[in-house]
Amino acid sequence: MAAVLAMRRGGFSWRPVGAVALACTGTPAYLLWVGWRSGQLNAWFVIQEAGWGTRWDNGAAFFSFLAHTWEHADGWVPVSTAVLLLAAVGATAVAWRRGTWPPLLVYGTVMVVLTLAQSNYYHSKLRLLVPALVFLLPFAVALGRARTRTAVAVLAAATLFGSWYGAHMLTVWRYAI
């Protein structure tokens, strides 16, 4: 997307095309290296499914988690995780409507889709969404427009909550690693 935008502005150039080609080699090269080291071409996917039960399921596990969480509400961790995941999806939709910078929008949306459409543990989904960033843009814009006092209070509250939530998930919660 960024290469297309660059070529629209300045005409065709091999530099953006080469950058896209080079950027696209990292993941396949790593998957091939894992396959070469283990003797199985699909080793990465075998390892993911065997170790963590992670596989592509088009979001079935995510929707099942949401349905189970809303129906049974067994504790605040699943409920808070469901609320935060739905907030991330909603904020990503808002970022699409606001005309966010296309490369960030595409990257962030792909990260959200990859995270939610796999069958990994629900409590790890928030951690996997951290690099997406796109869902934070609507909040950043709103904070940028707010009064300084309001922005400082909201950021302080978010920092305290995030620190406490992360510490709890790492040290107290029964499924912590």
Side-chain angles (χ1 to χ4, degrees), residues 74-122:
D74 347 324
W76 68 270
V77 171
V79 172
S80 65
T81 300
V83 168
L84 290 170
L85 289 172
L86 290 174
V89 170
T92 301
V94 170
W96 271 92
R97 294 204 59 213
R98 290 208 176 148
T100 303
W101 185 51
L104 180 60
L105 192 59
V106 170
Y107 168 76
T109 303
V110 167
M111 292 293 298
V112 170
V113 169
L114 286 175
T115 299
L116 299 181
Q118 293 184 39
S119 65
N120 50 6
Y121 300 120
Y122 73 87

